[in-house]
Amino acid sequence: MKAVIIYWSKTGNTEKVARAIKEGLEAGGGEVELAQAEKAGDVDYYDYDLVCVGFPSYRWHPPKPVEKLLAQKFAAYHDPGRVKTGAPKVPGKNALIFCTYSGPHTGIDEAIPAGKYAGQFFEHLGFTVVGEWYVVGEFHGSEEKSTQGRLGDIRGRPNAEDLEKVRQDAAQLVRSIELGV
């Protein structure tokens, strides 16, 4: 299975998750490339069995660099007719959305809309969205926002336990995709 992981990370939380996904996919037998969103404009999603896109949640959306990349790629695929009415599935093309979030306000409820939003770009391309993974990350630069939100004390997250779960889930994902499950 050939995969690419495209991510944007301001504080390092999302990058840690991206690297854990890479390790897990490789442990599962995948061939994996890793790219920062700002450098992934030339990546052809259709060259991969699995495209993983990760970012932190910013006000219920992906951050602007990720939104820009998704919109540009959508336009690039739309013009030659790869976006079709009814969004028919393209066999063997899968996407994984992963989103880091913190808890100063409502926690995961702020991240889910961002993940759904990003997933729709892939659904319209005919990809099967095989997962939306939401991983808690420390709110860097504010002890108050990392300790007093709905999630409690999230300093140091994603921690070793969080990242190990991501690795295991990624290795299992390779097996699931290869088996067509």
Side-chain angles (χ1 to χ4, degrees):
M1 184 195 71
K2 188 174 174 188
V4 63
I5 302 167
I6 300 167
Y7 71 94
W8 187 87
S9 187
K10 182 176 181 178
T11 64
N13 291 340
T14 307
E15 182 175 6
K16 287 179 189 177
V17 175
R19 292 187 181 284
I21 291 171
K22 181 178 189 291
E23 291 167 8
L25 293 176
E26 289 175 340
E31 176 188 330
V32 187
E33 296 175 31
L34 189 66
Q36 293 177 335
E38 300 89 342
K39 299 174 184 172
D42 291 338
V43 172
D44 185 348
Y45 297 163
Y46 290 95
D47 285 346
Y48 299 89
D49 305 302
L50 176 65
V51 178
C52 308
V53 174
F55 49 84
S57 171
Y58 280 20
R59 294 186 181 127
W60 317 284
H61 287 283
K64 293 293 181 197
V66 174
E67 281 195 74
K68 180 180 176 184
L69 174 65
L70 292 172
Q72 286 175 340
K73 295 303 285 184
F74 184 83
Y77 291 127
H78 186 272
D79 292 344
R82 291 189 111 163
V83 177
K84 300 184 182 345
T85 301
K89 294 292 183 188
V90 178
K93 300 302 170 190
N94 303 283
L96 169 68
I97 306 301
F98 63 101
C99 181
T100 56
Y101 68 98
S102 56
H105 303 297
T106 62
I108 195 168
D109 289 339
E110 295 183 21
I112 291 171
K116 295 286 186 199
Y117 176 83
Q120 281 301 295
F121 284 90
F122 289 95
E123 288 281 348
H124 280 81
L125 296 177
F127 280 58
T128 298
V129 177
V130 294
E132 294 171 10
W133 294 356
Y134 300 95
V135 182
V136 174
E138 176 177 352
F139 193 105
H140 292 274
S142 173
E143 184 173 329
E144 175 187 6
K145 291 180 179 179
S146 282
T147 60
Q148 297 179 23
R150 286 188 181 177
L151 302 177
D153 190 343
I154 58 171
R155 291 176 290 185
R157 307 264 319 259
N159 58 29
E161 184 179 315
D162 298 325
L163 297 173
E164 182 55 31
K165 180 177 182 341
V166 168
R167 282 185 204 93
Q168 290 175 9
D169 289 349
Q172 179 59 46
L173 182 59
V174 173
R175 292 186 282 279
S176 296
I177 289 172
E178 289 177 346
L179 293 173
V181 184

